[in-house]
Amino acid sequence: MSNGSVPDTVWKRPPAFITNPTVRMGAWVLLAAYLVWSVGSLDMDWERVARGLPRAGDMLARMFPPDFSRQSLLIRGVIESVQMAFAASFIGMILAIPLGLAAASNLAPRSVYLAARSLIVLSRTFHEILIAIFFVKIFGFGPLAGLLTLSVASVSFISKMIAEDIENMNMGQIEAIRATGASFSKLLIYAVQPQVLPRYLGVCIYRLDANIRHSTVVGIVGAGGIGATLSASFKRYDYDFSLAILLTIIALVFIGEIFSTWIRSRLR
Amino acid sequence: MTPTGAYPDIWRRFSPRQTVIRTFWMIVIVFIVVWSLSNLDITWIYLLDAHIQAGDLLTRMFPPDWGYTGRIMDPLLETIHIATLGTVVTFVISIPLAFLSASNTTPNWVTWFIGRFILVSSRSINTVVWALMFVAIFGPGAMAGIWAITFRSIGFMGKLIAEAIEEIDNGPVEAIEATGAGRLKVLLIGVLPQVLPVILGTTIYRWDINIRESTVLGFVGAGGIGIELYSSINLFRWPEVAVMMIAIFVVVVISEFISAASRSRIT
Amino acid sequence: MLEIKNLNKVYPGGLQALKGIDLSVTEPQVVAIIGSSGAGKSTLIRCINRLVEPTSGSVKLGGEEITTLNRRELRKARTRMGMIFQEYNLVERLTVMENVLSGRLGYVSFWAAFRRNYPPEDVRAAYELLDRVGLTGRHNDRADALSGGQRQRVGIARALMQKPDLLLVDEPTASLDPKTSRQIMRLIVELAHERGTPALVNIHDVVLAQASADRVIALRDGETVFDGKPDDLTPDVLTDIYGEEDWSATIRRDGDEVDAGADDGAGEDKTGKRNNIDEKAIAG
C-alpha cells in the first residue's frame, strides 16, 4: 500500500501549551532571568550554607534513634493538640452555618452578603500562625489562643464551602417549598439542608483533619499543643526527642487521615 | 381502595434502630467536645474582656505607620522569592516523586510505598516546623525558608499529581509500549502530556498557598517579612504591624488573583 | 374565587411580560393557559402567588387582595395555593413521604417540622393521597429514585396536602413523555374536580389542553387573546394565537422524544444545577 512518497522521518513532539515558539522561548528566558535575579538578590550566607550539609548529616545522626522516653511530656502535648483540634472543629462547624448562609448571594440580602464575604476573605488572607500570635498577645500563652486561632480558621474555611454549596443549589426546590407558605427557617431545613448537608459533613471532617495538623504547630508561637515542646527540643539540640515528636505528629496526622476517609466514605 | 380509617397515622423518618445509632453518635461527639473544652488548661475568664482587648489593639494599630513601607519592600520581595523558588524546586522534585507514588507507573510496591511515605511525611509536617529544622541546619535566612517551602510542598503536589497519573487514559500508553519504547520514553510521551495540565494547575495553586506560608516563616528565622513582623509585634510597635499586615494582604490578594486567572486559562 | 384585574409585569430589562391581564375564575373549573414561549404564561402563574412580584394590578383570592400582603400574611395566603412545577421540584434527597408532608409546612411549627412530627390527620391524609395518585408503598423511597411521572405524582400530592383553594400548575407535563403526560393531566383534572378546586394550568400541548380543560385562555405577548370553551379553538384562532409559529408542532405523539427525560420507570437521577427558573419566567 505505498503511495510513492516517504513520510518525514523526523518527528517533533508537539508543544504542550504555548504553541508560538517565540513566546515559549521567551517564557524560558524569563524563568531563567528570574532565577538568576532572585537567587542573587537573596541575602544568603553561602559559607553558612556550605557548612549546612554536614550539619544536616550531623543532625540526622543525632536524631536516631528517636527518644521516646519522655512519654508524659509527649502525651500531654499530643492530647492538648487533639483537644484543641476537636473543640475548634466543633465551634467552627456551628458558627460557620450562619456565616455561610450570610455569604450566599442567592439567599442573603446584598449588604449582608458583602459583609460576610469580606469577613471570610480577611480571615483567610492571614496565616494561622499570624492569627495565633495576635491571640497570644491578647490572651497570653496557652491553649486558649490556639483554640481561638483554629476556630477562626475553621469558621472561615467551612463557611466559604457552605456559601459555595448554597450558591450551586437547585433553586427549583427552594421555589417549591416557598410556594407552600413555609417560613424561612422551615425553608432552610427542608430545601437547603438536604442539598447541602452531605458535602457540609465531608468538609467538617476534612477540617478536623487539617486542624489536627495545624494544632501541632501553633504551639511554636506559644498557643498551646505539642508545637511548644517541639520548638523547645530543637532549641536545646535534643534532636532525638525532636524526631520522636515528629514521628508522633506524622502518625497522628496519618491516623486522622485514615479516620476521615473512612467516615467520609460512610457518609456517601 | 382501602377504606378510610385504615391508614396509619404515625410516620417516622428513621427506624428505632437508626434513631438509636444517630443519637449515639451525637452523644459521642458532644462528649468529646465537652471533654476537650473542660480539660484544656484555659482560664475562660479571659474571654470576658476579649472585645475590649481586641478594640484596644485595633486603636493602637491605627493610624498605620506609612513611613515604614520603605523598610519592608526588601523583606516583602524576599518573601515572594522564597515562595517562588521553593515552588520551582518543588516542581522539579515532585514530578518524579509522583511517578514513584502512582500505582500504575511505579516499578514495584516497595518504591510505591517509599514514595507514598515521603508524601505523607512531607504533608504531615507543617512548613514552619520544616523551617525550624532547616534553620538549625543552614542557619537563619532565606535558604532555610526555600527548603522549608519545598519540603512541605512536594507532599501536596506529589499527591495530586500521583492521583492524576492514576487516572490517565491507558490507551496512548499502551500504544507507545507497543512500539517497543523504553520505560522512560513511555512515561515522557505517553503519560506526561496527559497530566501536564494538572501539574501546571497544581503548581500555580501551591505557589499561591506558599506566598501565604512564606509570610510567617520569618517567625522562626527563615527569612521574609516574618522577621520584621515578629520583631514589631514583640516590641508592641502596632502601627508598623498594621502596615505590614496591609502589605501582606495586598500581596496575597494579588497572588490569589493571578492564581485563579491562570488556572482558569489552563483548564 | 380568583379575580385578577389589570395585572402588569415589567422585568428590569424593560421587557413587559404581562400587559393588563384580566382574569376571573368563579367556579371550580380547570382552566388551561396556552400560548407560545414568551407569551407570559409562566409569569402570570407566578404572579398569583407572588413568586414573581407583579408591577401593578390586583390579584384577589377568595376576596383577599394578594398583592398588598406583608410577608407573614403572604405565607398564610400561599398555604391556600398549591403549586405544581414542570421540573417537579421535589427535594431529591428527602423521602417521598417527607416531600408530600412538606405541603403542610405552612401549618406546623418549626420543631414539628424539624423532628418530622406531623399531626396524625396529616399523616393519614398523606397516605391516602399517595394511594390516590398511585404510589402506595413508596413513601419511604428517596425522591430521586423515582421516575419522572412518579415524581410529578408526588408533586401533585404535595400540592393537594395543602388543601388549597386554588391549584397553580406550571407546565406539568413538559418534562414527560406523551403517554405519561396524558395520565398526569387526567389525574390533575380528576383531583381538581373531586375536590372542587379551581386550577390554572399552563400547558404547551394544545390538543392535550383541549382534551382536559373546562376552559381555555390564550396569551400572546402578554395579553389575553382568547378566553372560552376548548371546542371554540379552531385552527384559525390557533394560528392567530401562535402567530407565525406552527402550532401543530406543539402536539406530541407517542414515540416522540422528550429531551428533559422520559418516564421509563428506571428512576434516573435528575440532580443537576437547573437554575433556569428566571429564564423560564421571562420566556413565559
Side-chain angles (χ1 to χ4, degrees), chain A residues 106 167-173 175-187 189-191 193-196 198, chain C residues 46 51 75 78-79 81 85 89-94 98 102 105-106 108 110 113-114 116 118 158 162 272-273 275 277:
Chain A
N106 52 347
E167 287 178 352
N168 282 335
M169 271 191 327
N170 179 328
M171 288 302 278
Q173 301 179 18
E175 227 200 353
I177 300 291
R178 248 193 207 135
T180 67
S183 62
F184 187 66
S185 54
K186 291 179 213 162
L187 182 77
I189 54 174
Y190 261 80
Q193 180 195 320
Q195 296 192 62
V196 165
Chain C
R46 284 184 162 76
L51 286 179
R75 289 204 297 263
R78 280 182 178 160
T79 62
M81 296 187 264
F85 299 82
N89 285 347
L90 301 184
V91 184
E92 296 185 346
R93 284 207 158 91
L94 296 183
E98 280 167 306
S102 67
L105 279 178
V108 300
F110 175 79
F114 183 72
R116 315 298 198 248
Y118 290 85
R158 172 177 66 191
Q162 293 177 228
K273 302 173 174 113
N275 229 326
I277 299 294

Side-chain angles (χ1 to χ4, degrees), chain C residues 146-159:
Chain C
L146 267 48
S147 69
Q150 291 169 326
R151 288 189 214 193
Q152 193 58 295
R153 291 166 198 270
V154 177
I156 295 174
R158 172 177 66 191

